């Protein structure tokens, strides 16, 4: 299969806003790619990333590889994938020169359209409207299997290319055979924002649990005998950085388990430390911060050979309570109350806020674990509106902030897969330390500079507090943030995890 076929499909997907047409175009390419033996590569590229993940090639390297385009397409998908594999493995002395040679050869054999596609793919800027949901639709169409079957297999494997290959090779039977495997992380179930505690209780009824919502980081912990492994919400493994979490799970009275929860650093009084203190431990070496992390588990997906994904939450909570029944392990459970009356639920929220946490999560006790989905069965309630938005750019400050990248441009995710949609700017809530960090960090994400501002690749996610939204003719989404202020950056989230323009519009009075 030629690279040109993938490029043509990418252009067709970008040219339509119809989800059905996007899925149909991708499905046709996946069928052809399967016949050519390159379905994993094609599925990965159309999802916006190389199969090898980050291949260590920045924009300066790409610019250095710029060359005149070829007159006619000749590159195959297999050739490009092989080059990506070699790029990912190139390290050490002479690696910069070898990268330049590899990219130069690749771009020299590519047409103008192929060069543009490759540059955006390698640079992490390939956004043509094929988000996760569209890709899953396309896989279902291509393999002629139920969408629900595709979704479940993807939830358990965590990788779209694997799901596409499984669907097109073995159909529904092969997809159904994909099961939870201890040691393979599951995409986490997510909570939707709730308007208020009363609204969440009203929509979910009396059979709920109301639990603390911590100002921490999501973790998923797998134990198989003495081996314990820990992943973040984005399924990045951090086991080496958090030995104290592994040690506590290794002490539990079980042989195999898959636990879902949050972790955070706490001070001597048990109050949460700054979110950045928690995230500083998630680096490759665990960071220099000596703050110990405390786990708080709120779900159990597997225990000693029994999968619990499809069991109702109440059954999973019973199993979790049994696992953590010993007094020495009771502190590992997320605080919460089952079937509270409105006054008791309000008390849980008040207790969470008093303890320095964000709010509560209201969960339906009858719900199974819908991995990877943000449904209404879990609803998070915070006293202040917050949104996770993409940083699109920043303006150079003036006065006290002269020399600092200050006023940031904020974008909401386009649910149809287009570029993030700008919804406002803010410089409120920024400390001197944060300004210094932005000024040092943003140039590494720059895609353009026009003198007074630096426009960024949409990769950084920031959590914004706001008082609401208002209609606006200034911004393309027709809505703008009211009194937005920076709470923190979210290195645990990618642009694909940002809130959508629909979430912003829902805040309109």
């Amino acid at each position: 299969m030629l690279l040109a076929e993938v490029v043509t499909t990418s252009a067709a997907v970008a040219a339509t806003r119809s989800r059905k047409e996007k899925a149909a175009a991708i499905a046709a390419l996946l069928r052809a790619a399967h016949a050519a033996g390159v379905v994993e590569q094609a599925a990965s590229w159309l999802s916006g990333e190389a199969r090898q993940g980050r291949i260590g090639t920045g924009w300066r390297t790409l610019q250095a590889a710029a060359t005149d385009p070829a007159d006619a397409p000749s590159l195959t998908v297999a050739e490009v994938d092989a080059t990506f594999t070699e790029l990912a493995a190139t390290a050490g002395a002479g690696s910069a020169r070898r990268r330049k040679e590899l990219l130069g050869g690749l771009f020299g054999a590519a047409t103008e359209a192929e060069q543009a596609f490759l540059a955006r793919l390698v640079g992490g800027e390939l956004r043509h409207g094929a988000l996760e949901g569209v890709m899953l639709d396309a896989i279902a169409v291509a393999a002629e299997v139920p969408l629900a079957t595709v979704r479940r297999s993807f939830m358990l494997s965590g990788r779209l290319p694997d799901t596409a290959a499984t669907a097109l090779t073995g159909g529904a039977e092969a997809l159904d055979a994909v099961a939870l495997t201890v040691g393979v992380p599951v995409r986490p179930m997510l909570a939707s924002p709730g308007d208020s505690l009363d609204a969440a209780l009203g929509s979910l009824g009396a059979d709920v649990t109301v639990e603390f919502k911590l100002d921490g980081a999501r973790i998923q912990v797998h134990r198989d005998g003495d081996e314990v492994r820990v992943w973040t919400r984005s399924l990045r493994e951090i086991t080496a950085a958090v030995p104290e979490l592994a040690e506590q799970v290794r002490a539990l009275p079980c042989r195999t388990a898959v636990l879902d929860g949050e972790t955070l650093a706490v001070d001597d009084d048990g109050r949460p430390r700054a979110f950045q203190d928690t995230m500083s431990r998630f680096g490759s070496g665990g960071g220099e911060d000596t703050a110990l992390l405390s786990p708080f588990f709120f779900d159990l997906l597997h225990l000693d050979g029994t999968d619990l994904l499809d069991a109702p939450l109440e059954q999973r909570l019973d199993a979790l309570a049994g696992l953590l029944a010993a007094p020495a392990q009771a502190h590992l459970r997320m605080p919460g109350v089952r079937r509270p009356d409105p006054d008791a639920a309000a008390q849980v929220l008040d207790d969470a806020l008093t303890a320095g946490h964000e709010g509560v999560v209201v969960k339906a006790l009858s719900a199974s674990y819908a991995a990877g989905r943000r449904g209404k069965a879990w609803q998070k309630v915070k006293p202040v509106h917050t949104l996770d938005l993409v940083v699109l750019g920043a303006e150079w400050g003036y006065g006290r902030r002269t020399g600092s990248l200050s006023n940031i441009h904020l974008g909401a995710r386009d649910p149809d897969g287009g570029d993030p949609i700008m919804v406002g700017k803010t410089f409120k809530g920024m400390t001197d330390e944060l300004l210094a960090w932005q000024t040092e960090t943003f140039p590494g994400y720059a895609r353009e500079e026009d003198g007074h501002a630096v426009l960024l690749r949409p990769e950084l996610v920031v959590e914004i507090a706001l008082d609401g939204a208002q209609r606006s003719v200034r911004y393309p989404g027709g809505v703008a943030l009211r009194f937005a202020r920076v709470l923190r950056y979210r290195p645990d989230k990618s642009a694909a995890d940002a809130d959508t323009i629909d979430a912003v519009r829902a805040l309109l009075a």
Side-chain angles (χ1 to χ4, degrees):
M1 170 177 270
L2 290 175
L3 170 65
E5 297 176 63
V6 181
V7 174
T8 298
T9 299
S10 174
V13 170
T16 178
R17 292 188 64 85
S18 167
R19 180 170 176 144
K20 185 175 181 180
E21 291 177 7
K22 289 178 188 287
I26 296 170
L29 181 78
L30 292 178
R31 291 192 196 100
H34 173 60
V38 291
V39 68
E40 288 189 35
Q41 292 90 328
S44 183
W45 296 355
L46 288 173
S47 300
E49 62 181 15
R51 190 168 58 96
Q52 296 79 0
R54 294 281 185 178
I55 58 178
T57 301
W59 282 101
R60 290 180 181 175
T61 307
L62 288 172
Q63 290 171 348
T67 185
D68 292 336
D71 295 328
S74 62
L75 282 172
T76 67
V77 170
E79 289 171 337
V80 175
D81 183 65
T83 301
F84 286 169
T85 298
E86 187 171 353
L87 279 166
T90 300
S95 60
R97 182 170 55 107
R98 181 54 181 157
R99 287 178 185 279
K100 185 176 179 181
E101 291 173 353
L102 288 169
L103 286 169
L106 184 63
F107 277 71
T111 64
E112 185 176 2
E114 290 170 341
Q115 285 184 349
F117 177 87
L118 290 170
R120 287 183 289 130
L121 177 63
V122 174
E125 284 204 6
L126 183 62
R127 294 179 299 279
H128 48 205
L131 291 177
E132 182 181 289
V134 174
M135 289 298 300
L136 294 176
D137 289 348
I139 293 170
V141 172
E144 298 181 349
V145 295
L147 177 59
T149 303
V150 174
R151 282 177 174 164
R152 181 174 175 81
S153 178
F154 173 54
M155 293 170 193
L156 295 171
S157 74
R159 298 192 69 251
L160 274 169
D162 292 350
T163 303
T166 300
L168 286 156
T169 301
E173 184 176 353
L175 292 169
D176 285 334
V178 178
L180 187 152
T181 302
V182 178
V184 177
V186 174
R187 293 173 62 79
M189 184 170 179
L190 304 174
S192 297
D195 292 333
S196 67
L197 181 58
D198 288 343
L201 294 172
S203 66
L204 294 177
D207 290 332
V208 297
T209 179
V210 180
E211 301 172 346
F212 280 23
K213 173 71 179 73
L214 305 187
D215 187 21
R218 188 77 173 265
I219 54 169
Q220 185 178 132
V221 186
H222 290 228
R223 176 181 173 183
D224 188 356
D226 288 334
E227 182 180 12
V228 176
R229 301 173 68 184
V230 186
W231 286 269
T232 66
R233 62 172 285 151
S234 62
L235 306 189
R236 179 171 67 90
E237 186 168 1
I238 56 168
T239 305
V242 290
E244 69 271 37
L245 299 184
E247 181 181 355
Q248 293 184 73
V249 172
R250 197 175 288 116
L252 297 179
C254 63
R255 182 178 56 82
T256 60
V258 176
L259 294 131
D260 191 5
E262 283 193 270
T263 187
L264 78 168
V266 297
D267 60 23
D268 293 340
D269 296 326
R271 293 183 63 82
R273 292 178 55 171
F275 180 75
Q276 288 76 8
D277 292 341
T278 297
M279 293 309 301
S280 71
R281 292 291 312 282
F282 284 19
S284 59
E288 299 179 356
D289 196 315
T290 59
L292 294 178
L293 297 178
S294 298
F296 296 85
F297 297 114
F298 52 69
D299 219 325
L300 183 62
L301 311 184
H302 173 96
L303 181 63
D304 286 335
T306 300
D307 290 343
L308 300 170
L309 277 171
D310 295 324
L313 175 60
E314 183 145 42
Q315 182 178 334
R316 304 199 305 273
L317 290 177
D318 287 342
L320 180 63
L323 180 63
L324 305 180
Q329 293 156 345
H331 67 283
L332 301 181
R333 283 195 64 187
M334 183 71 75
V337 176
R338 290 196 218 182
R339 295 186 178 85
D341 60 31
D343 289 340
Q347 186 62 55
V348 177
L349 175 58
D350 185 63
D351 291 345
L353 297 175
T354 300
H357 301 301
E358 290 186 323
V360 295
V361 183
V362 184
K363 302 177 181 179
L365 289 169
S366 61
S368 59
Y369 193 91
R373 301 298 299 278
R374 192 187 295 276
K376 292 295 186 181
W378 291 10
Q379 297 185 34
K380 53 188 177 184
V381 178
K382 303 178 184 180
V384 176
H385 293 301
T386 64
L387 293 171
D388 293 324
L389 300 173
V390 183
V391 183
L392 304 179
E395 299 170 7
W396 290 103
Y398 54 88
R400 188 178 67 83
R401 299 188 177 193
T402 298
S404 296
L405 284 169
S406 175
N407 201 21
I408 57 174
H409 301 186
L410 302 167
R413 178 164 57 86
D414 181 354
D416 294 320
D419 290 337
I421 301 167
M422 190 167 175
V423 291
K425 304 178 183 180
T426 190
F427 56 82
K428 298 183 188 308
M430 294 180 184
T431 62
D432 290 342
E433 180 183 21
L434 185 59
L435 285 169
W437 178 86
Q438 290 182 169
T439 305
E440 178 183 358
T441 304
F442 284 0
Y445 293 86
R447 60 180 178 83
E448 183 181 341
E449 188 165 356
D450 65 3
H452 81 286
V454 177
L455 303 183
L456 308 180
R457 303 194 304 275
E459 298 178 19
L460 295 171
V461 176
V462 63
E463 185 176 0
I464 297 293
L466 63 157
D467 290 357
Q470 60 191 20
R471 302 190 185 280
S472 171
V473 296
R474 180 178 181 183
Y475 296 117
V479 63
L481 309 178
R482 296 182 65 247
F483 303 109
R485 53 226 182 253
V486 173
L487 289 180
R488 58 185 175 174
Y489 278 83
R490 297 300 305 252
D492 58 325
K493 294 189 175 184
S494 70
D497 299 314
D499 285 303
T500 66
I501 188 66
D502 293 334
V504 181
R505 290 170 179 156
L507 296 177
L508 287 171

